[in-house]
Amino acid sequence: GEGLTEKISPFDTYAQIIEGKAEIVIDGVSSLLQSGQGIIIPAHLTNHIKPNGRYVLSNNKTTDAKIFPKSARESIVYKHLLSTPGPGS
């Protein structure tokens, strides 16, 4: 799979691995996500994706601060992963 270069977005982003696995680095903190797992990338933090083989990624940005309030964004980025059941779970 092809990685994404380091960037900073003015919007919160929810990234979810649909198939495969990839390493997502947010503000220097690395998290390995597998199928069915997702993570919130808070606005204004550097981030990039390193593939770990073939993967399919869904990236959803929001401009609505009510969806991911600041306290939730801070809590989630330090917990790193939001796990959801993977295919076949």
Side-chain angles (χ1 to χ4, degrees):
E2 184 178 318
L4 299 176
T5 59
E6 186 170 89
K7 63 183 182 281
I8 297 174
S9 173
F11 309 110
D12 288 338
T13 303
Y14 178 71
Q16 183 176 18
I17 302 297
I18 304 301
E19 181 181 313
K21 54 186 167 180
E23 180 181 357
I24 298 183
V25 182
I26 302 171
D27 206 25
V29 177
S30 176
S31 296
L32 181 62
L33 275 67
Q34 299 182 29
S35 294
Q37 293 182 314
I39 192 166
I40 294 173
I41 304 170
H44 311 293
L45 293 182
T46 59
N47 64 87
H48 64 281
I49 298 172
K50 297 180 184 179
N52 192 340
R54 184 179 175 281
Y55 72 98
V56 177
L57 172 78
S58 173
N59 243 350
N60 300 290
K61 295 183 179 2
T62 179
T63 58
D64 186 352
K66 293 177 196 167
I67 294 175
F68 303 128
K70 185 176 181 191
S71 60
R73 290 194 318 262
E74 290 169 353
S75 173
I76 290 165
V77 78
Y78 292 111
K79 288 181 182 173
H80 306 299
L81 296 177
L82 293 177
S83 294
T84 55
S89 294

